[in-house]
Amino acid sequence: MTTSATPFHASEPPDREQHAASNSTFCARLRRQSALPYDSPAGVRARAAGGRAAAGHPAPSSETAQTAEDSARGRANRARCAEDPPPYIRDMSEHSVRVNDPGELIAAVPAMVGFTPERSVVVLVLRRGNAHGALVDAVVRFDLEGPDGRRVRAGTLAGCVARICAHDEAVEVLAVIVDDRAEHPRSEGDVEHPRCAAGRFDALVGALARRLAACDISLGGVWAAGAIAAGEPWWTLSGPDLRGVLRDPATSVVALTHVLEGRPIRGSRSELTALVAVDPLARAQVAAQLEDALALARERYARAARRGDPNSYSRQALDYVLWQVANMASGAALLAPELAKLAAALRDRAVRDTMFAVAVGDHAAAAEALWGALARALSGADRAEAAALLGYSAYVHGDGPLAGVALDAALDADPDHPMAVLLDTALRMGMRPERLRRLARSGYHTAAGLGVDLGTPAP
């Protein structure tokens, strides 16, 4: 028998009697601006959190430094726990949607994660809400297997989930396993066997339940599906025995809300990696222009220094970067000489620091497009710089998956890049995005020191 899905209800208080009679598993409320999920591919190498106070970037606070040191300890041989941060609430408004059925919850996963997961475990961390139900405070995705094809150890993954829950003061956890190799339950005559396909995931479900119980956190339900798409069956692995067929994820209220707010829902994780993947042709073209661009920058700096006003060089370089951001906003495609000049400009500390302010300004989307273009066309420390700026912008705007991919690219290009290391550490430890906005405020002050008015700093 198939369980039909109960629709979401947007911005409506649920009936109190109905809520009291419902399992809390199916009454999770999703706030509109709480979509900064972890995305945790397994098997990605751990990185040391060193070199954080290198010249050219603000020194970390003692709290952030301690977080980095804590994160560095014990990273080896464990799943990556926080490529992308959880969906922390930045707008405490009461606009929300309500989930009353596991099928609806599963259909909403692509919107919450930011892309359609495959061969993944998606964990929803619930915190205590009010009489209307618990609130989804974090969404965490893990790969079921590493790049070498080996399955992630159940205990390792469960340990990562437990650490995130402790950080977020969780009261309940829900999990969705997506695996195209899983066999959904079959019926034999009139007798249904809803758990006949659970064996593949018994170790994982058991490890999650034990680790969470040790933290006094309940595992409210675990469900499985071969894929999250219209017409795909889902079934229970833990909790009340239920089954159903998924509706089109694109029609869920959560997805529609995200689209209306301008937040992307991508078809797959590969769409993210393509945003920062190296373009060999563009890289070769920019490399051919880069030495000339750097020579011109050095000449301009020398002239400014001889005049006794070295800041005039930084001001000129900043004007050029801001001009090219505006060009991107108008839809212009930048050529290799322009990209080379941008790379040279971003080597200036003041210019680089000011870009954090651009991430919270009116042209943030254009700036992200520019950082992506630079990351694809540059190498080494220059590529790391552009990718780190993209990662920061994505982080503060709630696009956790993109932030993780961008910071991966930055650290692959330069493992000791100080700002990329700091942001990656914050991401893994679940630091709330609003706490990183202090970097944006410092960017406004840096611009003002150069005589450039970027407007009113974002709150």
Side-chain angles (χ1 to χ4, degrees), residues 21 30 35 81 85 104 118 158 175 239 242 247 264 268-269 286 305 315 345 361 363 400 453:
L30 310 176
C81 289
E104 289 292 320
E118 300 174 343
L242 297 171
R247 60 181 295 183
S268 67
R269 195 173 187 275
V286 173
R315 184 164 52 250
H363 296 295
D453 184 6

Side-chain angles (χ1 to χ4, degrees), residues 184-239:
H184 68 275
R186 306 289 182 181
S187 297
E188 296 182 6
D190 295 328
V191 181
E192 294 184 342
H193 299 272
R195 296 185 186 277
C196 67
R200 178 180 178 86
F201 307 113
D202 278 348
L204 176 56
V205 173
L208 271 175
R210 288 190 297 273
R211 289 299 297 265
L212 293 173
C215 301
D216 198 25
I217 298 170
S218 65
L219 181 60
V222 183
W223 305 278
I228 301 182
E232 287 287 331
W234 62 266
W235 61 95
T236 298
L237 296 179
S238 175

Side-chain angles (χ1 to χ4, degrees), residues 414-432:
D414 180 3
D416 296 321
H417 188 281
M419 186 52 65
V421 169
L422 276 176
L423 292 173
D424 186 63
T425 301
L427 215 51
R428 292 171 187 269
M429 299 300 292
M431 183 175 289
R432 294 178 180 267

